[in-house]
Each structure stands twice: as structure tokens, then as C-alpha cells.
Amino acid sequence: MADRSVLVTGGTGGLGGAVTAAFLAAGWRVVVPAREEPAPAEPARPGLVRLAADLLDPADATRAVEIAAGEPAAPLRAVVNLVGGYASGGLVHETPVEEFERMLTLNLRPTYLVTSAALPRLVAAGGGAVVCVSARAALAPFPGAAGYATAKAAVLAFANAVAVEYRQRGVRCNTVLPSVIDTPTNRAAQPGADHRRWVSPAEIAPVVRFLASDESAPTSGASVPVYGRA
């Protein structure tokens, strides 16, 4: 029986599947919200709780946190914010403000809503950890992705603010910064790239799990590069 719970947003994505598996293997109760209900034929996995939720909506984000914190024998001790997305565009003067703002909404809003709802629960449980996902582009932007780079830099700044504000309350917050993640979606989008240089979800997942665990108890406010060979 799991004695602690983790809420993993984006847990059905390319990186999310590996992160979810890593926590399940370590004995956590893992709560994974997704926009759609799981397929009826999908086999149950011990320790995994799936629910339908739109994490852009404050009420749904709060409900997901309540479910994650709703098992007294396995209090919520960690939140992993994986929800996000990428869209390429033109140069800044060629990018409509709606596209720029869409990147901010997709990458920052779920992270803010879920984290803000979870923080009182983590404090009440005696402490815990928040792990956010930014990107190398937050530190080293590339042309045609101003909205994405800005959004991921905002995620990083938000995570650092959480680390400072909740340090004395027993809640840590750290960020991982991947390069290009080796997922089927990214391979399809960049078929000519050298995929051997990308970082795989299976390589990132243990880093995320470590940052959420007691093993990394002294660490908060860290920005951890997970670049692979890129």
C-alpha cells in the first residue's frame, strides 16, 4: 500500500508516461488528470488513479488536487507539472499576440493553478515537493519561438518564487530544463534531426522522481539541465 501520493499533470504525454511509471515503480500512489476519461478497456494499474480534468480551468485544477490529497493513508507529498506545449512561429514582429499569449496560457496557467491549489495541502501534510518543467529555450532561445521561450522562462521564474516563499513551510520547488525530448511527436516534426542527441523520457523520469523524493530534501530552487547529448 502506497504511503504517499503524487499528482502528475501531463501524465499521459510522451514524458508523462515515463514519469508516471517511475513513481509507480517507487511505490507512490500516482494521480494523473487528463482532458479525456481513460478508455474503458484500459487495464487498471495498482496505485494509478486517472481522472478527467481540464487543468486550464481553476475548478478542475482544484478538484484534481483534492482527489490527489483525498487518501488519508497516502497524503499528497509531491506535484509534478508536465503540462505544456510548443508551437513554432515567425520572428517576434511576425507573431500575432494571440499566438504569443497561447504559449503563456498553455505552459504557465496549469502550472500556476495546480501548484497554488496544492501548496496548502503540501504544507498541511508536513511538507513536500513541487517539480516544474521548463526548457533549455528559457535560457537559450532560438529564432521563431519567442512565445515558447518566454513561457518556459516564466515557468522557471514561478518555480523559483515558490521555492523562496515556501522554504520555511517545508515545501521545496525545483525545475528541470530538457533540451528536445525524444518522443514520437518530436521525431515526426523533425525527421531529419540527429535523434541520438536528444534526451529520452526514460532519462528524465528518474531526475523528476528524485527531485520529488526525500532523497533531494536539501535541494530547492534548483534548475536542473537534462540535455542529453544536445
Side-chain angles (χ1 to χ4, degrees):
M1 180 70 70
D3 63 356
R4 57 185 55 198
S5 296
V6 57
L7 175 62
V8 179
T9 76
T12 60
L15 175 58
V19 169
T20 296
F23 278 101
L24 289 173
W28 291 64
R29 172 178 173 261
V30 184
V31 178
V32 177
R35 280 182 174 269
E36 298 179 356
E37 293 279 1
E42 184 175 322
R45 298 171 65 183
L48 177 61
V49 178
R50 300 280 297 275
L51 65 136
D54 178 1
L55 298 181
L56 294 173
D57 179 75
D60 271 17
T62 298
R63 182 173 61 87
V65 169
E66 289 174 349
I67 292 172
E71 176 52 65
L76 181 64
R77 298 302 302 272
V79 172
V80 177
N81 292 301
L82 302 181
V83 169
Y86 168 78
S88 61
L91 300 178
V92 169
H93 77 280
E94 300 167 332
T95 303
V97 67
E98 292 81 8
E99 292 184 14
F100 184 84
E101 290 177 337
R102 186 168 69 88
M103 285 290 94
L104 287 170
T105 298
L106 180 59
N107 288 283
L108 184 59
R109 183 179 174 94
T111 293
Y112 175 81
L113 290 176
V114 170
T115 302
S116 62
L119 283 167
R121 300 283 192 164
L122 293 172
V123 171
V130 177
V131 182
C132 297
V133 175
S134 179
R136 184 169 65 174
L139 305 179
F142 51 89
Y148 176 75
T150 301
K152 288 302 189 181
V155 169
L156 180 58
F158 172 70
N160 289 340
V162 171
V164 170
E165 290 187 0
Y166 290 86
R167 180 179 297 134
Q168 301 305 320
R169 301 184 184 188
V171 178
R172 303 176 295 108
C173 189
N174 296 290
T175 310
V176 295
L177 290 82
S179 58
V180 182
I181 303 176
D182 190 0
T183 64
T185 299
N186 286 338
R187 284 193 174 221
Q190 302 182 56
D194 183 355
H195 304 143
R196 296 170 301 174
R197 295 173 59 86
W198 293 357
V199 60
S200 73
E203 292 173 311
I204 300 172
V207 179
V208 172
R209 189 210 59 80
F210 170 75
L211 291 173
S213 72
D214 293 340
E215 299 167 77
S216 60
T219 304
S220 190
S223 302
V224 182
V226 280
Y227 296 166
R229 296 166 55 196

